[in-house]
Amino acid sequence: MSTSATRTAEFYPPGGYGAPKDRRGQARRDVGLPPGTEVFSADNHISLADDIFYQKFPEELRDKAPRIWYEDGAYMVGRKGQTFLPGDFSAVLMQYDDLAGAASSNIEARIQELATDGVDKELAFPNAVLALFHFPDKELRERVFRIYNEHMAELQERSNGHFYGVGLINWWDPAGTRRTLAELKSLGLKTFLLPLNPGKDDDGGVIDYSSTAMRPVWDEIEAAGLPVTHHIGETPPKTPCEVNSVVVGMMINVDSFREMFSKYIFGGILDHNPGLRVGWFEGGIAWVPSALQDAEHLLASYQHMFNHQLQHPIQHYWDTNMSASFMVDPLGLRLIDRIGVDKVMWSSDYPHNESTFGYSEKSLAHVVEALGPQDAAKVVSGNIKAFLGV
């Protein structure tokens, strides 16, 4: 076995590091980062523990508000006792929602729990709230997003710089995009989550991010200056799966990244809006070189058929506009020269099953081993700070 393969096996042995529900923070040693490095997880998650939508809706609209409740070890979102979450999603939440810091009810416990695992700061994405991306009443959907953003801003303020919440915006109407981005910035939130599946327009047609109709939305996003985030988790299996459906679904999650990646480049979004900054979260980084390679080959093969000619080489769009996060990706780190050390962000993914929680120091030490202390400090701290502007 080669030396690099031996090191990979040492840090990431087959079988992982134990049952997710049994994990506890175990940071005990110096992992080799430069003194003073603040470990900043670029992708964690938080569950809502309070019934904030019902509480903050006007009394005359409360019967239409999504509800939050705790059931069978997980925080649910739905209405009239019926969860909006698919069964697999609920089952996954039950694996970790009982951790002290998993939900929004105790930000202090969350900060402490992450500290025991060697993580100083975090960017936190939603959990069950993702089910509200396609809440049917768009006016109420925007109200829901506003309440969620206000809640994240409150937690961010209370955390004293340890916690940064990912916001939600209106992406289906340019005026609404401008309005919600302005609200987001006024609250102090640094980024927002844009769904990979944008749903339908008011006429029932599927929204195409690369369409002419969507250019005013991208104009508003570019003008706001906030980075866009995309996250895995919206791509269910295309056919039913009776056996191990949770993992089958997880295996195809990154597929939707490729579709959106292609629209940014081949759909002309980045040519029309070159100031956009885009982050891809929880899909790892090993997919990036293959996507770039395939895009270059397809450009050479099909550009004579294009109705929009690209203004730059493929690599330019990645180097100028994009970056991605990973938790455990030794293959991606071996391909870092193609991806770029400034375009990669480490994350714990706390408290998810596939997170490094409980062995984060092993993951961090491997980043140092693979890249050296100075570049590792960029990957585990500097790059996400630059992405967020903090």
Side-chain angles (χ1 to χ4, degrees):
M1 183 181 293
S2 69
T3 302
S4 61
T6 301
R7 286 200 295 264
T8 297
E10 175 188 348
F11 283 101
Y12 303 116
Y17 289 94
K21 289 181 75 67
D22 296 334
R23 290 188 197 169
R24 295 293 181 268
Q26 299 180 39
R28 293 185 295 269
R29 64 186 177 94
D30 179 1
V31 299
L33 290 165
T37 302
E38 294 180 307
V39 175
F40 195 139
S41 173
D43 171 34
N44 284 359
H45 289 265
I46 191 163
S47 291
L48 286 181
D50 301 311
D51 200 12
I52 60 172
F53 306 119
Y54 182 79
Q55 294 165 2
K56 295 189 176 183
F57 263 46
E59 186 172 355
E60 67 272 15
L61 294 177
R62 282 183 177 169
D63 63 326
K64 299 179 180 180
R67 304 299 300 268
I68 305 293
W69 71 94
Y70 188 77
E71 179 181 320
D72 295 332
Y75 291 97
M76 301 293 175
V77 59
R79 281 179 60 196
K80 300 179 180 179
Q82 297 295 314
T83 181
F84 294 156
L85 301 171
D88 281 351
F89 202 122
S90 297
V92 168
L93 290 176
M94 292 170 189
Q95 300 296 305
Y96 50 74
D97 260 359
D98 59 352
L99 288 174
S104 61
S105 53
N106 195 337
I107 191 67
E108 293 77 19
R110 181 183 180 91
I111 293 168
Q112 181 57 37
E113 194 158 51
L114 285 167
T116 66
D117 205 42
V119 177
D120 302 301
K121 297 175 181 286
E122 62 170 326
L123 178 65
F125 287 81
N127 271 329
V129 170
L130 291 176
L132 301 178
F133 262 163
H134 301 295
F135 199 62
D137 186 316
K138 290 179 179 176
E139 184 176 343
L140 293 183
R141 187 194 303 172
E142 187 173 317
R143 183 184 293 273
V144 164
F145 289 0
R146 182 176 298 112
I147 292 169
Y148 182 80
N149 292 341
E150 290 170 349
H151 190 61
M152 289 299 104
E154 291 169 8
L155 296 180
Q156 187 169 296
E157 180 68 23
R158 283 171 48 195
S159 78
N160 294 316
H162 291 280
F163 173 95
Y164 293 87
V166 176
L168 305 173
I169 70 162
N170 175 329
W171 65 84
W172 55 90
D173 165 57
T177 305
R178 185 187 315 116
R179 179 172 56 249
T180 52
L181 282 168
E183 291 169 355
L184 202 76
K185 293 174 74 172
S186 71
L187 289 169
L189 300 184
K190 305 300 183 182
T191 189
F192 59 93
L193 179 60
L194 200 63
L196 294 161
N197 169 19
K200 297 182 178 181
D201 59 28
D202 291 338
D203 297 324
V206 176
I207 295 174
D208 173 11
Y209 278 133
S210 63
S211 67
T212 302
M214 284 296 290
R215 286 185 191 168
V217 169
W218 291 114
D219 289 343
E220 295 295 344
I221 292 172
E222 183 180 35
L226 295 180
V228 182
T229 67
H230 296 294
H231 198 283
I232 66 167
E234 296 179 48
T235 310
K238 294 180 176 61
T239 57
C241 180
E242 292 185 10
V243 180
N244 293 335
S245 58
V246 170
V247 177
V248 171
M250 292 297 294
M251 282 291 291
I252 66 167
N253 263 325
V254 78
D255 287 359
S256 51
F257 274 9
R258 273 202 163 215
E259 180 178 351
M260 192 66 210
F261 170 86
S262 300
K263 290 193 172 187
Y264 275 116
I265 297 176
F266 293 115
I269 295 172
L270 292 178
D271 282 338
H272 292 293
N273 299 100
L276 293 173
R277 290 180 296 132
V278 181
W280 308 94
F281 289 84
E282 205 178 316
I285 57 176
W287 69 274
V288 174
S290 65
L292 292 170
Q293 175 179 267
D294 290 350
E296 288 169 348
H297 178 66
L298 292 170
L299 172 63
S301 303
Y302 286 95
Q303 59 185 329
H304 64 285
M305 298 177 64
F306 286 6
N307 57 11
H308 169 77
Q309 293 297 325
L310 302 193
Q311 296 177 8
H312 303 282
I314 297 296
Q315 188 72 39
H316 169 90
Y317 298 102
W318 176 262
D319 292 343
T320 305
N321 302 95
M322 301 186 190
S323 53
S325 80
F326 72 99
M327 296 92 73
V328 175
D329 200 337
L331 175 59
L333 291 176
R334 286 162 62 185
L335 299 171
I336 197 70
D337 288 345
R338 181 68 195 271
I339 305 167
V341 74
D342 295 323
K343 313 301 292 181
V344 171
M345 301 170 285
W346 177 86
S347 67
S348 163
D349 193 37
Y350 170 91
H352 284 179
N353 291 43
E354 65 273 22
S355 77
T356 66
F357 181 63
Y359 61 90
S360 289
E361 69 176 19
K362 294 180 182 289
S363 178
L364 293 166
H366 181 62
V367 176
V368 175
E369 178 75 15
L371 304 179
Q374 298 304 319
D375 281 346
K378 294 181 180 180
V379 168
V380 309
S381 185
N383 292 343
I384 182 60
K385 289 181 178 180
F387 181 81
L388 297 175
V390 299

